[in-house]
Amino acid sequence: MYLYVVDDYKELSKKAASLVAGQILAKPDSILGFATGSTPEGMYAELVKMYEAGEINFKNVESFNLDEYCGLDKNHNQSYHYFMNKHLFSKINMLPNNIRIPNGLTDNMFDECLTYEENIDMCLQIDLQILGLGHNGHIGFNEPSDHFSYQTHCVELSQSTREANARFFEGGIDEVPTHAITMGIGTILRTKRILLLVSGSSKAKILKKVLKGTVTPQVPASILRFHDDVIVIADKEAAAELYEN
Ligand code: GLP
């Protein structure tokens, strides 16, 4: 595991974008795993700038998103479909058929999750999976639990996650969906390389647990320490507790 500690969010975004760009340049038909949340927004903005400057080309890139809320229409402004279109897909040249995001409106959840996982398997391996970190240590929507989930599945969101994400919903927590579809921890661990982005003082305590605490499903991201190619980019605020004592 490599840990880069950078000065601030801007530097984190640039560093993350340069690693993603490097992946695309090295393998133009890369399969990328995209994440949502506020943390990767700056990275997407940097990638769009590089694309506009002609430095990278997404024509042959394929992608799988980590997760999606259940019950939100694709056009709902808090769906992850909407997020990805707004921040990336509408601004680059990825082919629509190469973009996969779980369908949170499915009426056959079992089939949706199984097919999503099979589609990933058919591509053999995601080359680079981007992750943010939830305040309770979740990755994707894999919440603290008594076991690590194996593959794409439907989860009930914890109260703390719904509270954390309520800031994005006009009507507050009552509007935050109670369930989501997420890649499993196993799905994430099967990716070739993982890029974990962590920003801000509110993530300092959990980042310390992830990197230095016990590896436990109660802190889902702690399992990343068992993957052999993980890059963590944290800004100084997020890394503040790592070097105490
Ligand atoms: C959501 C997403 C996660 C994301 C997390 C943190 O719960 N499902 O993928 O990592 O939020 O979001 P933020 O970056 O806004 O702190």
Side-chain angles (χ1 to χ4, degrees):
M1 181 179 273
Y2 286 96
L3 169 67
Y4 289 100
V5 178
V6 297
D7 277 345
D8 53 24
Y9 180 68
K10 197 170 178 192
E11 221 187 295
L12 175 147
S13 302
K14 281 180 185 284
K15 180 84 191 154
S18 74
L19 287 167
V20 176
Q23 171 67 43
I24 297 171
L25 290 170
K27 185 172 180 263
D29 59 349
S30 285
I31 299 167
L32 301 180
F34 287 133
T36 52
S38 47
T39 311
E41 277 183 28
M43 176 197 74
Y44 291 133
E46 291 296 329
L47 286 171
V48 169
K49 274 195 224 160
M50 288 180 190
Y51 166 72
E52 286 171 348
E55 291 163 10
I56 47 174
N57 187 348
F58 288 84
K59 193 173 61 145
N60 295 316
V61 169
E62 296 192 43
S63 72
F64 288 90
N65 260 76
L66 265 177
D67 49 13
E68 177 58 290
Y69 287 116
C70 291
L72 294 190
D73 186 83
K74 288 177 185 172
N75 296 317
H76 187 288
N77 66 9
Q78 290 310 321
S79 78
Y80 289 163
H81 279 79
Y82 185 93
F83 176 102
M84 290 307 300
N85 276 327
K86 177 177 170 193
H87 294 287
L88 191 67
F89 297 146
S90 65
K91 299 175 177 176
I92 59 170
N93 65 337
M94 272 187 73
L95 302 178
N97 281 347
N98 287 343
I99 294 169
R100 285 83 153 205
I101 305 178
N103 174 14
L105 282 181
T106 180
D107 48 19
N108 188 341
M109 185 57 75
F110 179 80
D111 203 44
E112 174 65 22
C113 293
L114 192 66
T115 308
Y116 202 71
E117 192 74 25
E118 281 174 358
N119 285 338
I120 295 173
D121 286 346
M122 275 194 304
C123 290
L124 297 183
Q125 200 177 24
I126 292 175
D127 291 296
L128 178 64
Q129 176 64 56
I130 295 143
L131 296 176
L133 180 64
H135 289 96
N136 58 6
H138 74 231
I139 44 179
F141 268 130
N142 290 282
E143 297 282 34
S145 165
D146 56 5
H147 66 282
F148 290 111
S149 61
Y150 184 65
Q151 56 185 28
T152 302
H153 61 294
C154 176
V155 282
E156 183 173 3
L157 300 179
S158 69
Q159 181 67 9
S160 69
T161 295
R162 294 183 66 236
E163 281 164 9
N165 291 0
R167 67 190 195 277
F168 299 118
F169 288 77
E170 280 161 26
I173 189 153
D174 291 344
E175 274 187 20
V176 183
T178 55
H179 290 77
I181 299 178
T182 181
M183 283 185 195
I185 294 290
T187 324
I188 293 168
L189 291 181
R190 287 190 285 279
T191 63
K192 205 176 281 176
R193 170 175 272 188
I194 294 171
L195 179 55
L196 175 68
L197 308 179
V198 195
S199 170
S201 55
S202 71
K203 301 278 175 74
K205 279 202 162 41
I206 192 65
L207 183 61
K208 184 178 182 182
K209 280 192 188 174
V210 168
L211 298 185
K212 296 191 157 182
T214 311
V215 173
T216 163
Q218 292 301 330
V219 182
S222 62
I223 192 76
L224 297 177
R225 281 158 45 201
F226 288 160
H227 190 283
D228 63 7
D229 192 354
V230 177
I231 299 173
V232 183
I233 309 179
D235 59 20
K236 273 186 182 159
E237 289 186 345
E241 301 212 5
L242 295 179
Y243 304 108
E244 277 180 355
N245 305 318

